Amino acid sequence: MEYEEVTPKSYPVNLIKKDWTQRKLYYTSPAKSMPDAVNNMEVLDDDIWIVTNPKSGTTWMQELVWLLMNDCNFETALSKDLELRSPYLEFDFMIHRNVERALKPVQELPSPRIIKSHLSLALLPAQLWQKKPKVIYVFRDPKDAWISNYYHFVNFGFQYGKTLEQYMDELLEKEAPKRDPILHAFEFYQLRNEPWVYYTSYNLMKQDLRKVIEDLCKFLNKSVTEQQMERLLKHLSFEEMKKNPTTNHRWEYAQVQHPNRGKEVHNFIRSGKIGGHKEELKPEQIEKADRFIEGRLQESQVTLEQLLVLK
Ligand code: PPS
């Protein structure tokens, strides 16, 4: 994928004090007027925004939040694709490159809207920084997220024919410096104590999902009975989500028209591990990835454990 640098019309100066003009931001090319359209977009007070780096547990969190916000309506959750219940803000534009229609799936959604985005804080709508609707952020070790992305893009056809090793080399050289997952997370990490922000990690969800559900209930002013909790824990387990057609992005997959789509198939909910990269990457590749990550962590003066909320 090609990326182009974009300059937002405004920055979240009221949230984080820094020289935002030095913050390099990128969109997949051609970005057209999409950054401005998003910057100008209307945000509703009762919106819930789920923001992540790609492949960090977004779907898992969306399914959980959708169920909490919809009285644990498992019947609908099991019959309607998650992408239609909780749309991905950038998806339509990624497929059609047409700004006119790009935001419609979100604009036409009934309230309260549960919106997924991978955009950096400064590329999100300006009204989000002013109105401060509920924002949920999930962080995952970028090495596991990158591997997950490789299989996802092989599936879509974009990376078909490329080895994981080739993908990682190209990613670390070209894409990761532009779509820096550490700075993406750090900007939300800095907001973690704001009452309108819930910051968590893939690790915390794996370690104790019940606790995350309880925390989210407080954050969203919702409650669940013990019976609903038991059902949520089962429904949201890796095994159940892996076999659930509505959480495996089949709707999204059908929209992608790449000629190599489906030549090699990997389930969307694939391996669901912490540290799965250790089984897939050679030690020298892990070192290379760690060097990139470490450099970025030092720039922000934060540790991976802090971003993963393990410290
Ligand atoms: S996307 O395309 O950015 O929205 O992808 P995202 O949903 O963020 O991340 C997909 C990865 O999350 C894993 N996942 C889970 N892990 C454990 N338990 C549950 N219930 C679960 N649901 C999704 C999914 O398997 C992808 O990770 P990998 O490493 O590829 O398995």
Side-chain angles (χ1 to χ4, degrees), residues 52-60 62 116 118 140 144 147-149 151-152 202 206 236-239 241 249 252 267-273:
T52 59
N53 282 307
K55 316 309 289 180
S56 299
T58 332
T59 309
W60 198 5
Q62 282 173 283
K116 157 187 168 177
H118 293 313
R140 185 183 193 188
D144 289 338
I147 306 278
S148 179
N149 206 51
Y151 288 107
H152 186 52
Y202 186 83
K206 288 280 287 188
L236 295 164
S237 69
F238 177 77
E239 295 72 24
M241 277 188 63
H249 292 236
E252 242 174 36
N267 211 52
F268 179 91
I269 312 260
R270 189 185 57 93
S271 92
K273 290 184 188 157

Side-chain angles (χ1 to χ4, degrees), residues 224-236:
V224 290
T225 63
E226 181 53 26
Q227 209 179 3
Q228 286 171 325
M229 174 65 94
E230 294 293 340
R231 182 138 188 224
L232 277 170
L233 290 170
K234 182 156 192 281
H235 179 90
L236 295 164

Side-chain angles (χ1 to χ4, degrees), residues 25 51 82 98 102 119 144 166-167 217 242 257 260 271:
L25 294 154
V51 188
L82 178 60
N98 178 350
L119 293 175
D144 289 338
Q166 286 168 330
Y167 172 77
C217 280
K242 184 163 185 156
Q257 294 303 322
N260 290 332
S271 92

Side-chain angles (χ1 to χ4, degrees), residues 59-86 114 231-232 235-236 240-241 243-249:
T59 309
W60 198 5
M61 180 56 85
Q62 282 173 283
E63 183 70 349
L64 164 51
V65 170
W66 188 89
L67 280 161
L68 291 181
M69 295 306 294
N70 288 277
D71 299 323
C72 290
N73 184 345
F74 291 100
E75 205 175 298
T76 305
L78 287 164
S79 59
K80 187 170 176 181
D81 289 306
L82 178 60
E83 301 96 305
L84 303 176
R85 291 180 276 128
S86 167
I114 301 166
R231 182 138 188 224
L232 277 170
H235 179 90
L236 295 164
E240 290 292 316
M241 277 188 63
K243 64 183 186 206
N244 179 354
T246 67
T247 52
N248 275 279
H249 292 236

Side-chain angles (χ1 to χ4, degrees), residues 28 39 54 76 82 103 108-109 117 124 137-138 152-153 161 171 211 230 233 243 248 257 260 272 275 278 280 306:
T28 49
N39 184 280
T76 305
L82 178 60
L103 300 174
E108 288 169 2
L109 202 65
S117 177
L124 286 167
Y137 191 90
V138 187
H152 186 52
F153 279 5
L171 178 125
K211 167 84 168 57
E230 294 293 340
L233 290 170
K243 64 183 186 206
N248 275 279
Q257 294 303 322
N260 290 332
K278 291 181 196 148
E280 308 235 20
Q306 284 174 316

